[in-house]
Amino acid sequence: EDQVTQSPEALRLQEGESSSLNCSYTVSGLRGLFWYRQDPGKGPEFLFTLYSAGEEKEKERLKATLTKKESFLHITAPKPEDSATYLCAVTPLDDQFYFGTGTSLTVIP
Amino acid sequence: GAVVSQHPSRVICKSGTSVKIECRSLDFQATTMFWYRQFPKQSLMLMATSNEGSKATYEQGVEKDKFLINHASLTLSTLTVTSAHPEDSSFYICSARDSMWGRFYGYTFGSGTRLTVV
């Protein structure tokens, strides 16, 4: 059964304290893995797409990496404005789309 | 990048009335669109998959007669909540699959619609 699991559910960081969010997946073939950011009352905002193991992508303080079983979203020296829920989603080869439950990140000044 | 426009962003309606939510792909053709519902502090729950020119596919437990989906063109899908009741109050989000010439680019989301039924 295809599954996506994110951890931790919630994370509180001090401003400048780097950390990583995890997305573990079990799918029968991966077409793409996606990271989104969602602010309260807003739709998910696209961050990254990763297609194959070993791939990495960066955007400002965020860096996403992918292995055959999981993806990490590394946050370097976070700022309060990075506070949001980060969602991971995967598309297997059958073109379905599975969301994880998200990680709620709070960055304290 | 791909943009999906969703309207309205907020709507308040009386119990028993119907509400229509629109989802448009602005700079790409979306043969497939998705409708989600999200409860507070929870992840998105897929309600239905909307394919242009054909009937929507609903997830188990979603009432197709209550949540009418129409995908009449390659850039527009609508969700109509019929005979709305307070328990239908929620945050509804659409997304579109961005693909062209057999290449898959990803999924883009609308900004969401906050529905409150009073």
Short mmCIF file of all heavy atoms in Angstrom, two decimals, chain B residues 64-102:
data_model
loop_
_atom_site.label_atom_id
_atom_site.label_comp_id
_atom_site.label_asym_id
_atom_site.label_seq_id
_atom_site.Cartn_x
_atom_site.Cartn_y
_atom_site.Cartn_z
N LYS B 64 -21.50 12.37 -3.84
CA LYS B 64 -21.40 13.01 -5.15
C LYS B 64 -22.60 13.90 -5.44
O LYS B 64 -22.50 14.85 -6.23
CB LYS B 64 -21.23 11.98 -6.25
CG LYS B 64 -22.37 11.00 -6.38
CD LYS B 64 -22.07 10.02 -7.51
CE LYS B 64 -23.21 9.03 -7.68
NZ LYS B 64 -22.93 8.04 -8.76
N ASP B 65 -23.75 13.63 -4.83
CA ASP B 65 -24.92 14.47 -5.06
C ASP B 65 -24.86 15.75 -4.25
O ASP B 65 -25.56 16.72 -4.55
CB ASP B 65 -26.19 13.71 -4.71
CG ASP B 65 -26.43 12.53 -5.64
OD1 ASP B 65 -26.02 12.63 -6.82
OD2 ASP B 65 -27.00 11.52 -5.20
N LYS B 66 -24.04 15.76 -3.23
CA LYS B 66 -23.90 16.96 -2.41
C LYS B 66 -22.78 17.84 -2.96
O LYS B 66 -22.88 19.05 -2.94
CB LYS B 66 -23.59 16.58 -0.97
CG LYS B 66 -23.28 17.80 -0.10
CD LYS B 66 -23.21 17.41 1.32
CE LYS B 66 -24.05 18.24 2.25
NZ LYS B 66 -24.85 19.27 1.79
N PHE B 67 -21.71 17.23 -3.41
CA PHE B 67 -20.56 17.95 -3.92
C PHE B 67 -20.47 17.71 -5.43
O PHE B 67 -19.85 16.77 -5.90
CB PHE B 67 -19.28 17.49 -3.22
CG PHE B 67 -19.28 17.72 -1.73
CD1 PHE B 67 -19.55 16.68 -0.86
CD2 PHE B 67 -19.02 18.98 -1.22
CE1 PHE B 67 -19.56 16.89 0.51
CE2 PHE B 67 -19.03 19.20 0.16
CZ PHE B 67 -19.29 18.15 1.02
N LEU B 68 -21.13 18.62 -6.18
CA LEU B 68 -21.19 18.46 -7.62
C LEU B 68 -19.95 19.07 -8.27
O LEU B 68 -19.61 20.21 -8.01
CB LEU B 68 -22.44 19.16 -8.17
CG LEU B 68 -23.78 18.62 -7.66
CD1 LEU B 68 -24.92 19.41 -8.29
CD2 LEU B 68 -23.93 17.14 -7.96
N ILE B 69 -19.31 18.29 -9.10
CA ILE B 69 -18.09 18.76 -9.77
C ILE B 69 -18.31 18.77 -11.27
O ILE B 69 -18.79 17.79 -11.84
CB ILE B 69 -16.90 17.87 -9.39
CG1 ILE B 69 -16.54 18.08 -7.92
CG2 ILE B 69 -15.69 18.19 -10.27
CD1 ILE B 69 -15.51 17.13 -7.40
N ASN B 70 -17.94 19.90 -11.86
CA ASN B 70 -18.04 20.04 -13.31
C ASN B 70 -16.69 20.50 -13.85
O ASN B 70 -16.10 21.46 -13.34
CB ASN B 70 -19.12 21.07 -13.66
CG ASN B 70 -19.31 21.20 -15.15
OD1 ASN B 70 -18.55 21.89 -15.84
ND2 ASN B 70 -20.31 20.54 -15.67
N HIS B 71 -16.22 19.83 -14.87
CA HIS B 71 -14.91 20.17 -15.48
C HIS B 71 -15.15 20.31 -16.98
O HIS B 71 -14.77 19.45 -17.77
CB HIS B 71 -13.90 19.07 -15.16
CG HIS B 71 -12.48 19.45 -15.44
ND1 HIS B 71 -11.44 18.80 -14.82
CD2 HIS B 71 -11.93 20.38 -16.23
CE1 HIS B 71 -10.29 19.33 -15.25
NE2 HIS B 71 -10.58 20.28 -16.10
N ALA B 72 -15.81 21.42 -17.35
CA ALA B 72 -16.30 21.56 -18.71
C ALA B 72 -15.24 22.00 -19.70
O ALA B 72 -15.42 21.86 -20.90
CB ALA B 72 -17.46 22.55 -18.72
N SER B 73 -14.14 22.56 -19.21
CA SER B 73 -13.08 23.00 -20.13
C SER B 73 -11.72 22.62 -19.54
O SER B 73 -11.62 22.18 -18.40
CB SER B 73 -13.15 24.51 -20.35
OG SER B 73 -12.62 25.21 -19.24
N LEU B 74 -10.70 22.82 -20.34
CA LEU B 74 -9.35 22.45 -19.91
C LEU B 74 -8.76 23.42 -18.89
O LEU B 74 -7.67 23.20 -18.38
CB LEU B 74 -8.41 22.38 -21.12
CG LEU B 74 -8.61 21.17 -22.03
CD1 LEU B 74 -7.79 21.32 -23.29
CD2 LEU B 74 -8.24 19.89 -21.30
N THR B 75 -9.49 24.50 -18.60
CA THR B 75 -8.95 25.47 -17.65
C THR B 75 -9.88 25.76 -16.48
O THR B 75 -9.57 26.59 -15.63
CB THR B 75 -8.63 26.80 -18.35
OG1 THR B 75 -9.82 27.30 -18.95
CG2 THR B 75 -7.55 26.63 -19.41
N LEU B 76 -11.03 25.10 -16.43
CA LEU B 76 -11.99 25.42 -15.38
C LEU B 76 -12.66 24.19 -14.81
O LEU B 76 -13.20 23.36 -15.54
CB LEU B 76 -13.07 26.37 -15.93
CG LEU B 76 -14.23 26.70 -14.99
CD1 LEU B 76 -13.74 27.48 -13.77
CD2 LEU B 76 -15.31 27.50 -15.72
N SER B 77 -12.63 24.09 -13.50
CA SER B 77 -13.40 23.09 -12.78
C SER B 77 -14.17 23.82 -11.68
O SER B 77 -13.67 24.78 -11.09
CB SER B 77 -12.49 22.03 -12.15
OG SER B 77 -13.24 21.10 -11.38
N THR B 78 -15.40 23.37 -11.44
CA THR B 78 -16.20 23.98 -10.38
C THR B 78 -16.68 22.92 -9.41
O THR B 78 -16.96 21.78 -9.79
CB THR B 78 -17.42 24.72 -10.95
OG1 THR B 78 -18.25 23.80 -11.66
CG2 THR B 78 -16.99 25.85 -11.87
N LEU B 79 -16.76 23.33 -8.15
CA LEU B 79 -17.31 22.49 -7.09
C LEU B 79 -18.51 23.22 -6.53
O LEU B 79 -18.40 24.37 -6.09
CB LEU B 79 -16.27 22.28 -5.98
CG LEU B 79 -16.79 21.66 -4.66
CD1 LEU B 79 -17.22 20.21 -4.87
CD2 LEU B 79 -15.72 21.72 -3.57
N THR B 80 -19.67 22.58 -6.58
CA THR B 80 -20.88 23.16 -6.02
C THR B 80 -21.30 22.36 -4.80
O THR B 80 -21.53 21.14 -4.90
CB THR B 80 -22.03 23.18 -7.05
OG1 THR B 80 -21.62 23.93 -8.19
CG2 THR B 80 -23.28 23.80 -6.45
N VAL B 81 -21.35 23.03 -3.67
CA VAL B 81 -21.84 22.41 -2.45
C VAL B 81 -23.34 22.66 -2.39
O VAL B 81 -23.78 23.81 -2.26
CB VAL B 81 -21.15 22.99 -1.20
CG1 VAL B 81 -21.62 22.27 0.06
CG2 VAL B 81 -19.63 22.90 -1.33
N THR B 82 -24.13 21.62 -2.57
CA THR B 82 -25.57 21.77 -2.65
C THR B 82 -26.22 21.60 -1.28
O THR B 82 -25.74 20.82 -0.45
CB THR B 82 -26.17 20.74 -3.61
OG1 THR B 82 -25.92 19.43 -3.10
CG2 THR B 82 -25.57 20.87 -5.00
N SER B 83 -27.28 22.37 -1.06
CA SER B 83 -28.02 22.29 0.20
C SER B 83 -27.04 22.25 1.39
O SER B 83 -27.02 21.29 2.17
CB SER B 83 -28.92 21.06 0.20
OG SER B 83 -29.77 21.04 1.34
N ALA B 84 -26.26 23.29 1.47
CA ALA B 84 -25.18 23.31 2.46
C ALA B 84 -25.72 23.30 3.88
O ALA B 84 -26.77 23.89 4.18
CB ALA B 84 -24.30 24.53 2.23
N HIS B 85 -25.00 22.64 4.75
CA HIS B 85 -25.32 22.59 6.17
C HIS B 85 -24.08 23.00 6.96
O HIS B 85 -22.97 22.97 6.44
CB HIS B 85 -25.77 21.18 6.57
CG HIS B 85 -27.11 20.81 6.01
ND1 HIS B 85 -28.29 21.27 6.55
CD2 HIS B 85 -27.44 20.05 4.95
CE1 HIS B 85 -29.29 20.79 5.84
NE2 HIS B 85 -28.82 20.06 4.87
N PRO B 86 -24.26 23.38 8.23
CA PRO B 86 -23.11 23.83 9.02
C PRO B 86 -21.94 22.84 9.03
O PRO B 86 -20.78 23.26 9.06
CB PRO B 86 -23.72 24.02 10.41
CG PRO B 86 -25.14 24.42 10.14
CD PRO B 86 -25.54 23.61 8.93
N GLU B 87 -22.22 21.56 8.95
CA GLU B 87 -21.13 20.57 8.97
C GLU B 87 -20.31 20.58 7.68
O GLU B 87 -19.24 19.95 7.62
CB GLU B 87 -21.65 19.16 9.24
CG GLU B 87 -22.71 18.67 8.27
CD GLU B 87 -24.12 18.90 8.78
OE1 GLU B 87 -24.33 19.89 9.52
OE2 GLU B 87 -25.00 18.10 8.42
N ASP B 88 -20.82 21.29 6.65
CA ASP B 88 -20.05 21.43 5.41
C ASP B 88 -19.04 22.57 5.50
O ASP B 88 -18.21 22.75 4.60
CB ASP B 88 -20.99 21.68 4.23
CG ASP B 88 -21.94 20.53 3.99
OD1 ASP B 88 -21.54 19.36 4.18
OD2 ASP B 88 -23.11 20.80 3.63
N SER B 89 -19.12 23.33 6.57
CA SER B 89 -18.17 24.42 6.76
C SER B 89 -16.76 23.85 6.82
O SER B 89 -16.49 22.93 7.60
CB SER B 89 -18.49 25.18 8.06
OG SER B 89 -19.77 25.76 8.00
N SER B 90 -15.89 24.39 6.00
CA SER B 90 -14.54 23.85 5.92
C SER B 90 -13.71 24.70 4.98
O SER B 90 -14.18 25.71 4.45
CB SER B 90 -14.59 22.40 5.41
OG SER B 90 -13.35 21.75 5.57
N PHE B 91 -12.48 24.29 4.80
CA PHE B 91 -11.57 24.93 3.85
C PHE B 91 -11.45 24.00 2.65
O PHE B 91 -11.06 22.84 2.79
CB PHE B 91 -10.22 25.15 4.52
CG PHE B 91 -9.28 26.04 3.78
CD1 PHE B 91 -9.65 27.33 3.41
CD2 PHE B 91 -8.00 25.61 3.46
CE1 PHE B 91 -8.78 28.15 2.73
CE2 PHE B 91 -7.11 26.44 2.78
CZ PHE B 91 -7.50 27.71 2.42
N TYR B 92 -11.83 24.50 1.47
CA TYR B 92 -11.80 23.69 0.26
C TYR B 92 -10.68 24.19 -0.65
O TYR B 92 -10.54 25.40 -0.87
CB TYR B 92 -13.14 23.76 -0.46
CG TYR B 92 -14.27 23.12 0.32
CD1 TYR B 92 -15.01 23.86 1.25
CD2 TYR B 92 -14.58 21.77 0.14
CE1 TYR B 92 -16.02 23.27 1.98
CE2 TYR B 92 -15.61 21.18 0.87
CZ TYR B 92 -16.31 21.93 1.79
OH TYR B 92 -17.32 21.34 2.52
N ILE B 93 -9.90 23.27 -1.16
CA ILE B 93 -8.75 23.63 -1.99
C ILE B 93 -8.77 22.81 -3.27
O ILE B 93 -9.05 21.60 -3.23
CB ILE B 93 -7.41 23.36 -1.26
CG1 ILE B 93 -7.38 24.02 0.12
CG2 ILE B 93 -6.23 23.85 -2.08
CD1 ILE B 93 -6.18 23.63 0.94
N CYS B 94 -8.49 23.46 -4.38
CA CYS B 94 -8.37 22.73 -5.64
C CYS B 94 -6.91 22.67 -6.06
O CYS B 94 -6.08 23.46 -5.61
CB CYS B 94 -9.21 23.39 -6.74
SG CYS B 94 -8.56 24.96 -7.31
N SER B 95 -6.62 21.72 -6.89
CA SER B 95 -5.28 21.67 -7.48
C SER B 95 -5.40 21.15 -8.91
O SER B 95 -6.40 20.53 -9.28
CB SER B 95 -4.32 20.79 -6.67
OG SER B 95 -4.56 19.42 -6.92
N ALA B 96 -4.38 21.44 -9.69
CA ALA B 96 -4.37 21.01 -11.09
C ALA B 96 -3.05 20.33 -11.39
O ALA B 96 -1.99 20.72 -10.91
CB ALA B 96 -4.56 22.21 -12.00
N ARG B 97 -3.16 19.33 -12.23
CA ARG B 97 -1.98 18.60 -12.68
C ARG B 97 -1.39 19.34 -13.87
O ARG B 97 -2.08 19.58 -14.86
CB ARG B 97 -2.37 17.17 -13.05
CG ARG B 97 -1.27 16.33 -13.63
CD ARG B 97 -1.83 14.98 -14.06
NE ARG B 97 -0.89 14.27 -14.91
CZ ARG B 97 0.03 13.45 -14.46
NH1 ARG B 97 0.13 13.21 -13.17
NH2 ARG B 97 0.85 12.83 -15.28
N ASP B 98 -0.14 19.68 -13.75
CA ASP B 98 0.52 20.45 -14.80
C ASP B 98 1.36 19.50 -15.64
O ASP B 98 2.40 19.02 -15.21
CB ASP B 98 1.41 21.53 -14.15
CG ASP B 98 2.10 22.41 -15.17
OD1 ASP B 98 1.76 22.33 -16.36
OD2 ASP B 98 2.98 23.18 -14.76
N SER B 99 0.86 19.21 -16.82
CA SER B 99 1.62 18.31 -17.70
C SER B 99 1.35 18.70 -19.14
O SER B 99 0.30 19.23 -19.47
CB SER B 99 1.24 16.85 -17.47
OG SER B 99 -0.13 16.64 -17.75
N MET B 100 2.32 18.48 -20.00
CA MET B 100 2.17 18.83 -21.40
C MET B 100 3.10 17.95 -22.24
O MET B 100 4.23 17.71 -21.86
CB MET B 100 2.49 20.31 -21.63
CG MET B 100 2.19 20.79 -23.03
SD MET B 100 2.49 22.57 -23.22
CE MET B 100 1.16 23.20 -22.21
N TRP B 101 2.58 17.49 -23.36
CA TRP B 101 3.37 16.68 -24.27
C TRP B 101 4.00 15.49 -23.57
O TRP B 101 5.13 15.11 -23.83
CB TRP B 101 4.48 17.52 -24.94
CG TRP B 101 3.99 18.76 -25.58
CD1 TRP B 101 4.30 20.03 -25.26
CD2 TRP B 101 3.02 18.86 -26.65
NE1 TRP B 101 3.61 20.92 -26.06
CE2 TRP B 101 2.83 20.24 -26.92
CE3 TRP B 101 2.29 17.93 -27.40
CZ2 TRP B 101 1.96 20.69 -27.90
CZ3 TRP B 101 1.42 18.39 -28.38
CH2 TRP B 101 1.27 19.75 -28.62
N GLY B 102 3.25 14.91 -22.66
CA GLY B 102 3.72 13.71 -21.97
C GLY B 102 4.69 14.00 -20.85
O GLY B 102 5.12 13.07 -20.16
#
